[in-house]
Amino acid sequence: MSESQTSSSARWVIAIDGPAGAGKSTTAKALARELGLRYLDTGAMYRAIALKASRLGIKGDEGQRAAELLETTEIGFGAGEPQPVFLDGEEVTNLIRTNEIGDLASALSAHTPVRKALVARQQAMVAAGGVILEGRDATTVIAPQADVKVYLTASLEERSRRRHVEFGTKGIEASFESVRSQIEIRDHRDITREDSPLSVAPDATIVESGCRSIEDVIADIKALLPKA
Ligand code: DC
């Protein structure tokens, strides 16, 4: 690769959206490593403010209070695997991964003031390029100008199976049925909210991740990259 090719690929923006458990994080992290791009987990930012809100007794229907809280809240990322997440300087990487915090993040994310505040931060983090971001509105709102836009998806059964296995490896006890119903509720809320619902951007490519290896999924996405 020539120097100019390297610098153009170094500025690529790849945006991935999709429902819970579709494999967005695994795929985005692997691609970021392979292509030397930064990785931005936008959902972790909703989870971080949800954690702070839950500690203060703020409920999912109190979007305005959560947005006000964000004004004095720092959310940051470190380097490493899993990528460390910081909330006002405290490492909360694992604390934000519970079902309760995921649910509260989903509920708070339906409120426009919360979205506005986080989208502004996310767009600032994407502005310099060289990033792969994933979430629910990465392709439609945060980075509609991205070089590659992917909607990653799999069946509800497959996504629930993966989440169930993931919980097992983390020692979180939950029946398959409860994991599936939680994913269904989360999907419904993320898809039906008025502000920036999870949807397929008109120029996004739908990539199926169910019953396929991560290598195959990554190959599909790499095939969409601009020719350097
Ligand atoms: O991707 P995740 O499960 O960590 O996201 C948690 C919740 O945050 C998700 O249910 C909806 C919300 N979210 C969002 O509204 N927009 C994003 N870009 C990312 C996440």
Side-chain angles (χ1 to χ4, degrees):
M1 226 184 238
S2 74
E3 235 174 68
S4 64
Q5 284 170 331
T6 310
S7 61
S8 73
S9 56
R11 284 198 299 272
W12 279 336
V13 175
I14 302 176
I16 304 180
D17 283 324
K24 300 185 296 293
S25 304
T26 315
T27 307
K29 281 185 216 167
L31 261 172
R33 262 196 310 274
E34 195 171 328
L35 301 172
L37 302 174
R38 286 179 293 128
Y39 165 60
L40 175 58
D41 175 0
T42 63
M45 299 173 77
Y46 287 93
R47 285 173 181 264
I49 192 58
L51 176 63
K52 186 163 175 178
S54 87
R55 286 172 169 174
L56 294 169
I58 296 175
K59 305 272 182 284
D61 59 0
E62 295 180 284
Q64 190 54 42
R65 277 186 77 193
E68 280 162 22
L69 193 60
L70 266 170
E71 288 169 18
T72 53
T73 300
E74 272 180 36
I75 300 171
F77 296 97
E81 176 52 45
Q83 185 181 50
V85 181
F86 295 97
L87 172 64
D88 296 326
E90 174 194 353
E91 202 200 315
V92 295
T93 316
N94 294 326
L95 293 176
I96 60 170
R97 293 293 154 198
T98 64
N99 251 325
E100 291 69 32
I101 296 303
D103 271 351
L104 186 55
S106 172
L108 290 175
S109 75
H111 298 273
T112 297
V114 173
R115 300 205 69 80
K116 264 195 179 156
L118 285 181
V119 166
R121 292 186 195 196
Q122 290 155 357
Q123 288 181 328
M125 291 161 109
V126 170
V131 62
I132 173 155
L133 67 155
E134 51 112 338
R136 304 294 189 287
D137 61 346
T139 58
T140 52
V141 178
I142 308 170
Q145 80 291 357
D147 298 290
V148 174
K149 285 181 254 180
V150 168
Y151 187 91
L152 194 62
T153 190
S155 70
L156 173 65
E157 287 302 305
E158 175 63 17
R159 293 186 288 117
S160 310
R161 192 192 60 75
R162 286 187 197 153
R163 265 296 143 86
H164 190 230
V165 170
E166 187 189 320
F167 282 171
T169 59
K170 289 182 179 158
I172 301 171
E173 276 189 39
S175 69
F176 176 78
E177 285 69 30
S178 72
V179 172
R180 186 177 49 197
S181 84
Q182 275 154 1
I183 288 192
E184 249 185 316
I185 293 167
R186 181 94 54 89
D187 283 355
H188 182 260
R189 201 192 278 130
D190 294 346
I191 289 167
T192 57
R193 70 177 175 224
E194 266 181 37
D195 189 346
S196 325
L198 170 65
S199 63
V200 185
D203 50 354
T205 303
I206 297 177
V207 175
E208 171 66 42
S209 74
C211 303
R212 299 183 67 212
S213 70
I214 173 86
E215 290 79 16
D216 284 355
V217 171
I218 285 176
D220 276 5
I221 299 176
K222 278 170 67 184
L224 301 170
L225 287 168
K227 301 290 167 249

